[in-house]
Amino acid sequence: MNPPDNPEEQTDLYLGRWVAEMHGKIIAQGGTPEQALKAAQKSRYKEKPEIRFMHSPLNINLPPLYYEIRALLAGEEDVYLVGGAVRDIFADKPIRDLDFVVKRSAIKLARKVADSLGAVFYPLDSERDTGRILVNRPGQKQQVVDFAAFRGSNLDEDLKGRDFTINAMAINPKDQSVYDPLGGVADLRNKLLRSCSNSSFLDDPLRVIRAVRMALTLDLHIIPETRKLLKASVLNISNVSPERLRDEIIRILQGPKSSAGLKALDLLGALNIIFPELTQLKNTPQSKPHVHDVWSHSLSVVDHLESILAALSEEYHPETASNYFHGMMVLRIGRYRKQIAEHLSTNKLQGRSWREILFFAGLYHDIGKPKMAVQAEDGRIRFWGHEGVSAEISSVRARLLKMSNEEVERVQTIVQHHMRLHFHVGRLLKEKKMPSSRAVYRFFRDTGEAGVDICLLTLADLWATYENTLPEDTWVACLDVVRVFLEAWWEKTGEKVLPPRLIKGENIMRKLEIDSGPEVGMLIEAVREAQVIGTVHNSNEAIDYARKYLQRSRSGEIREYTNVNNTRLAYFQRPGRGVPLILVHGFPLDHTIWQPMIPYFDRNFWVINPDLPGYGLSGSPDHLDSMEGYADFLSGLMDSLRIRKAILAGHSMGGYAALAFAAKYPHRLAGLTLVSSRTSPDAPSQMESRLKMIEEIQNHGMKPVADQMAEKLSFDPGHHRYLRNLIENTPPQGAINSIKAMMNRQDTTEIARELDIPRLIIAGVKDALIPIAETRQMASYLVGSQYHEFDDVGHMPMLEVPELCSSAINNFFKTEKI
């Protein structure tokens, strides 16, 4: 080694290193005193050089707390600052948390320092002699200080047993000298990530994930030798505790480049171990306007979330809004940047914020799509009902990662409702209608604070759907919709989100003479909605409104809407204390066929009476040609009403939909009633008749169908005019979709026979569409089911004998004690 002649050059060259000097000249250097001495002895083995540390300005970014602790440690021996804080000094990054190692009695020393600082102390790991100090000071973020005993007999063994060379450095607080036995400073300057030893990842497999995070965070290149060790240790990740996995994944989601981190984990083979569900997304294509498969779309959502939050951050920089779409976003919702930052940063749990939970939800928002993918006749792939399945899968993964109950609920809410704003965007584009006050109120009623996260996810989701093909008007419409919801949440809370309560439950019970129960909650909620839309202004108006609402509710006349699979679904309900009973109408009818029965239903039933998609007051999806599709809508309706299990009563085609639901969602079915329905598929002759019916509808509308069916549906002529009018007013496309779905249905006899739930079959002896002999044969095959038939009744028992039909349902399910 030839040291420079110029003393100043010599000093600069060895700043931050230990050097060996002879006669005023540096003859060797190293990362520790021992290394410098050993290097010197190679050429001057008979002489004894002077070993000293070449100081550099290390205090540039050390926090004030460090100097307070340094003063308290003045009388202590063998105490060193280690880990990330030392690394960040040389990386010129801000330092918040501090880690110290000590030869022995670390917990005792930590308690002593905590007492002097007036901070919180607790033993972090008594077995490993590790204590933690939490320093909370007004106007400052919480600071964490850990004290741990050496892992090994001395500092050198402790450092060499760490994960990466850039983390294997220490500073002696007494003289600010640096110990760098593995060349961490050089690796950091050269942008290299190197493991401390060949056994580093075997000693702790979590370091595989940490390597990816460190490389991304510090823009480092993982050297080939370390990369080989990473791949060889991937399978051992399964041995890491869920809590430690969670914390490391959260750090990756904290960014930057979190999607790149996920891709790197995937390339290493680690993602399949950490998030096994995600690998299914790779093989799930999507139809236009999507430009990605589900996997690439999910990663793109994470990317766009990062860029959107950067553009909306409090530290606003013009370049973050240089992109046209970012610029439009900043113009429309940039005024909420401070509120967004505060919203995402709040979380009581150490080391985690709602920002990372949002990114996790974004990654998992479409996780149910592979399970729900269906290719329609037109070749398009649809995922009806994927929100509910995605919410369930994502919440299970969150629990397995030991997230808190509050975090699991937040993830589930975001994923469950992530399509709701897309519906409003579509409506604004097609109908030029902004979200109503009622829609805004209901959205935040169902989502709470997570509604803000959904607004942000909607922007990222839309952008990731189109990428560079994103139409300007679509983006602007999405921004306008998001602005309406954010404005309501942060500027009009008392008007549109949480209006002041005008009446209490006890007032309603006393004034309306009703007992406590679901009706009371329903009426309070109805009054609050009436406040939001401006119908009710004071307590007297509130009581009058509640009285009228109660009367209509008990008759099943209250119309409500929800959005399922991006389609508006209308339903009517009568609250009750007991199990939900969902009434599914047949073809080509609507919810009104069940209305005569509602007054006779047992008061305990929570009766829900929807219009299927394409019928009555419900919207019609672009394409729906399977009974499974109708089952998905029923499941979505249950999700929106927060119903886990329900009895389904299906009439005719409604029975086919209920049977498809039984096949697809058996865990959500509490009981099954088939009214004038069958489990067998269409015979060839029936298919021919249905094809002719489609042709007639396409050429002449619904009148030919009304001519063919009105008199066949009911044995009682008194219902024929009503049925004719009902059929003629059915939207033709909804009817065509249903006909195709009926033609495509499978034989569900075995499914119905094996169901381990109460099953009830109701039929009319005079049914002109399904011969009674066929129904009796089906009932005999479904062993364990109960069968009711009514004389002089046709295909419509709910219209012809509503009291007897409802009595059969009441008595059966009361006996079964559901």
Side-chain angles (χ1 to χ4, degrees):
M1 165 177 146
N2 295 309
D5 295 329
N6 188 317
E8 289 185 7
E9 289 183 15
Q10 180 172 309
T11 300
D12 290 342
L13 183 63
Y14 299 114
L15 285 178
R17 303 288 286 171
W18 290 90
V19 298
E21 288 185 333
M22 290 286 293
H23 310 299
K25 286 190 175 182
I26 296 174
I27 61 171
Q29 56 87 25
T32 67
E34 294 77 14
Q35 288 181 348
L37 177 61
K38 188 174 181 180
Q41 287 175 340
K42 288 182 179 180
S43 59
R44 308 285 182 93
Y45 58 88
K46 289 185 177 180
E47 300 178 83
K48 188 174 182 181
E50 179 186 352
I51 307 297
R52 70 185 181 92
F53 181 73
M54 300 294 287
H55 282 278
S56 60
L58 293 175
N59 59 346
I60 294 175
N61 61 347
L62 281 164
L65 180 62
Y66 167 78
Y67 295 100
E68 292 182 56
I69 295 174
R70 182 187 179 195
L72 296 172
L73 298 175
E76 302 292 338
E77 296 295 330
D78 296 319
V79 181
Y80 301 90
L81 180 69
V82 295
V86 181
R87 178 198 67 229
D88 290 342
I89 289 172
F90 291 102
D92 195 25
K93 290 186 175 293
I95 299 165
R96 186 161 63 93
D97 299 337
L98 302 170
D99 292 288
F100 292 90
V101 292
V102 59
K103 189 172 184 179
R104 64 177 66 88
S105 303
I107 289 178
K108 182 179 179 182
L109 180 58
R111 184 182 283 110
K112 176 183 173 183
V113 171
D115 290 343
S116 299
L117 294 173
V120 176
F121 161 81
Y122 63 91
L124 190 62
D125 188 339
S126 299
E127 187 177 336
R128 295 195 174 194
D129 192 15
T130 304
R132 172 161 290 180
I133 300 169
L134 302 178
V135 182
N136 296 291
R137 291 176 175 172
Q140 297 181 18
K141 291 184 178 180
Q142 184 182 74
Q143 293 175 282
V144 180
V145 183
D146 286 348
F147 282 82
F150 287 158
R151 303 294 184 260
S153 60
N154 53 45
L155 177 63
D156 193 64
E157 288 185 11
D158 181 287
L159 295 178
K160 289 180 178 178
R162 291 177 179 264
D163 49 11
F164 307 107
T165 59
I166 62 172
N167 292 332
M169 300 179 285
I171 292 177
N172 188 335
K174 285 190 174 183
D175 59 8
Q176 299 286 72
S177 59
V178 178
Y179 290 75
D180 182 17
L182 299 174
V185 173
D187 281 344
L188 196 58
R189 287 172 178 165
N190 293 322
K191 296 290 185 180
L192 300 177
L193 188 66
R194 186 191 315 270
S195 60
C196 289
S197 68
N198 290 341
S199 64
S200 182
F201 302 112
L202 294 175
D203 296 339
D204 185 359
L206 185 68
R207 292 170 175 173
V208 173
I209 307 174
R210 191 176 300 151
V212 171
R213 176 173 64 84
M214 299 294 294
L216 286 171
T217 305
L218 300 172
D219 193 23
L220 305 177
H221 172 71
I222 303 174
I223 67 170
E225 294 84 353
T226 297
R227 200 178 300 125
K228 289 179 183 178
L229 296 173
L230 281 172
K231 291 182 177 179
S233 303
V234 161
L235 293 179
N236 294 325
I237 292 175
S238 58
N239 298 324
V240 177
S241 71
E243 293 86 351
R244 297 184 70 222
L245 269 180
R246 173 202 63 207
D247 292 345
E248 201 60 54
I249 289 296
I250 287 295
R251 291 187 182 104
I252 286 180
L253 293 178
Q254 284 172 342
K257 305 175 186 175
S258 50
S259 71
L262 294 166
K263 289 177 185 175
L265 290 173
D266 186 36
L267 288 173
L268 287 170
L271 199 67
N272 188 45
I273 299 171
I274 305 165
F275 296 136
E277 306 89 0
L278 292 180
T279 57
Q280 303 171 37
L281 302 183
K282 296 179 184 179
N283 301 316
T284 307
Q286 301 187 97
S287 299
K288 291 181 179 180
H290 283 279
V291 298
H292 295 304
D293 63 16
V294 184
W295 166 243
S296 297
H297 171 76
S298 300
L299 290 178
S300 183
V301 166
V302 172
D303 276 336
H304 285 300
L305 269 175
E306 190 173 324
S307 70
I308 285 168
L309 293 181
L312 293 174
S313 68
E314 286 189 276
E315 296 79 25
Y316 172 70
H317 300 288
E319 58 270 21
T320 62
S322 59
N323 175 289
Y324 169 78
F325 293 113
H326 279 157
M328 292 298 295
M329 178 180 66
V330 170
L331 282 173
R332 279 171 160 75
I333 61 174
R335 69 178 186 263
Y336 299 117
R337 61 176 75 250
K338 182 178 180 181
Q339 293 96 319
I340 289 171
E342 291 174 352
H343 169 82
L344 292 176
S345 64
T346 55
N347 194 338
K348 297 178 181 178
L349 295 168
Q350 179 63 37
R352 305 200 292 278
S353 72
W354 292 127
R355 185 183 189 277
E356 292 82 61
I357 301 305
L358 169 58
F359 274 65
F360 178 82
L363 180 63
Y364 265 75
H365 77 288
D366 280 344
I367 196 67
K369 279 190 171 180
K371 186 176 181 180
M372 304 305 291
V374 174
Q375 188 164 13
E377 286 183 348
D378 62 358
R380 291 181 59 79
I381 301 170
R382 290 177 170 81
F383 308 96
W384 283 316
H386 79 276
E387 307 100 305
V389 177
S390 297
E392 185 176 344
I393 295 172
S394 60
S395 64
V396 168
R397 178 52 54 191
R399 286 192 182 90
L400 289 173
L401 286 173
K402 302 298 182 183
M403 290 186 185
S404 69
N405 290 337
E406 192 177 5
E407 288 171 321
V408 172
E409 184 178 351
R410 184 76 153 238
V411 168
Q412 191 167 14
T413 300
I414 294 170
V415 176
Q416 177 70 61
H417 297 282
H418 80 268
M419 292 295 294
R420 285 180 68 163
L421 265 62
H422 289 298
F423 168 80
H424 292 291
V425 174
R427 192 163 181 244
L428 178 57
L429 288 167
K430 293 176 183 177
E431 305 175 30
K432 307 302 179 187
K433 291 183 179 179
M434 293 293 285
S436 66
S437 296
R438 177 183 275 116
V440 172
Y441 170 77
R442 288 186 175 183
F443 175 74
F444 285 114
R445 178 197 66 190
D446 296 341
T447 64
E449 288 186 356
V452 174
D453 303 271
I454 295 169
C455 289
L456 297 169
L457 177 58
T458 300
L459 294 171
D461 193 13
L462 182 72
W463 201 341
T465 296
Y466 288 91
E467 298 293 5
N468 294 332
T469 67
L470 177 59
E472 180 182 331
D473 62 338
T474 302
W475 180 244
V476 170
C478 188
L479 290 171
D480 286 343
V481 167
V482 166
R483 182 177 57 189
V484 167
F485 284 91
L486 295 183
E487 181 183 65
W489 181 255
W490 278 314
E491 296 182 33
K492 299 180 179 179
T493 306
E495 180 184 339
K496 293 190 174 182
V497 179
L498 288 172
R501 182 166 291 186
L502 296 177
I503 52 173
K504 296 181 179 180
E506 51 265 34
N507 301 127
I508 289 176
M509 289 187 287
R510 185 177 68 256
K511 294 280 188 180
L512 304 187
E513 297 180 345
I514 61 174
D515 296 328
S516 62
E519 282 185 331
V520 177
M522 175 198 70
L523 293 174
I524 291 174
E525 187 62 34
V527 167
R528 298 194 80 170
E529 279 198 11
Q531 286 178 255
V532 168
I533 63 176
T535 304
V536 167
H537 305 89
N538 54 55
S539 57
N540 289 333
E541 289 179 355
I543 287 295
D544 289 342
Y545 184 86
R547 180 177 289 106
K548 294 173 184 176
Y549 194 95
L550 179 63
Q551 292 170 353
R552 294 172 60 210
S553 171
R554 287 181 171 177
S555 300
E557 297 175 3
I558 300 296
R559 180 181 69 222
E560 299 185 64
Y561 294 100
T562 188
N563 298 318
V564 178
N565 302 326
N566 220 18
T567 299
R568 187 171 75 165
L569 203 66
Y571 66 96
F572 298 74
Q573 64 171 321
R574 190 204 71 185
R577 296 173 180 271
V579 67
L581 170 63
I582 301 177
L583 308 173
V584 191
H585 65 78
F587 167 86
L589 310 167
D590 66 17
H591 77 279
T592 58
I593 65 169
W594 296 101
Q595 288 296 113
M597 289 179 62
I598 289 177
Y600 301 111
F601 276 127
D602 189 292
R603 291 295 305 151
N604 283 323
F605 277 133
W606 175 8
V607 181
I608 300 151
N609 189 9
D611 280 329
L612 289 175
Y615 289 91
L617 298 167
S618 287
S620 182
D622 295 335
H623 201 80
L624 181 61
D625 61 4
S626 71
M627 283 301 149
E628 289 74 20
Y630 289 101
D632 292 336
F633 274 94
L634 293 173
S635 178
L637 174 62
M638 289 171 64
D639 288 338
S640 69
L641 294 173
R642 299 182 182 180
I643 295 172
R644 296 188 65 85
K645 274 191 171 187
I647 298 169
L648 260 59
H651 168 251
S652 194
M653 182 195 75
Y656 308 155
L659 288 163
F661 186 96
K664 198 166 186 178
Y665 303 101
H667 59 289
R668 307 197 71 176
L669 198 58
L672 176 67
T673 297
L674 298 178
V675 182
S676 304
S677 191
R678 52 159 68 105
T679 58
S680 58
D682 276 356
S685 59
Q686 290 172 308
M687 287 194 178
E688 283 185 30
S689 297
R690 295 197 196 279
L691 287 172
K692 289 179 181 178
M693 186 176 288
I694 290 176
E695 186 177 352
E696 287 178 342
I697 294 173
Q698 291 171 333
N699 294 330
H700 306 290
M702 294 300 295
K703 188 176 185 305
V705 181
D707 291 340
Q708 293 176 41
M709 293 190 65
E711 294 185 5
K712 292 180 181 179
L713 283 170
S714 176
F715 185 68
D716 183 350
H719 298 295
H720 292 169
R721 174 181 287 184
Y722 156 74
L723 291 168
R724 176 178 291 278
N725 290 336
L726 186 58
I727 295 170
E728 287 184 355
N729 288 313
T730 295
Q733 190 56 52
I736 291 173
N737 288 345
S738 295
I739 295 170
K740 291 180 179 179
M742 288 189 286
M743 292 172 64
N744 293 334
R745 78 184 191 278
Q746 303 297 310
D747 191 324
T748 53
T749 306
E750 286 302 314
I751 291 170
R753 189 172 71 86
E754 294 176 4
L755 283 174
D756 189 23
I757 55 172
R759 293 157 300 162
L760 173 65
I761 300 167
I762 295 175
V765 174
K766 302 294 186 179
D767 193 329
L769 295 177
I770 300 179
I772 192 63
E774 182 182 339
T775 305
R776 289 169 179 168
Q777 183 179 12
M778 178 185 73
S780 67
Y781 189 75
L782 301 183
V783 179
S785 62
Q786 189 173 114
Y787 175 64
H788 278 271
E789 63 179 43
F790 302 113
D791 295 330
D792 298 325
V793 171
H795 195 66
M796 308 290 295
M798 69 286 297
L799 286 180
E800 299 171 77
V801 284
E803 188 171 1
L804 292 176
C805 192
S806 58
S807 177
I809 294 175
N810 290 337
N811 294 334
F812 176 67
F813 288 107
K814 188 180 294 184
T815 303
E816 292 293 331
K817 297 180 180 179
I818 291 181

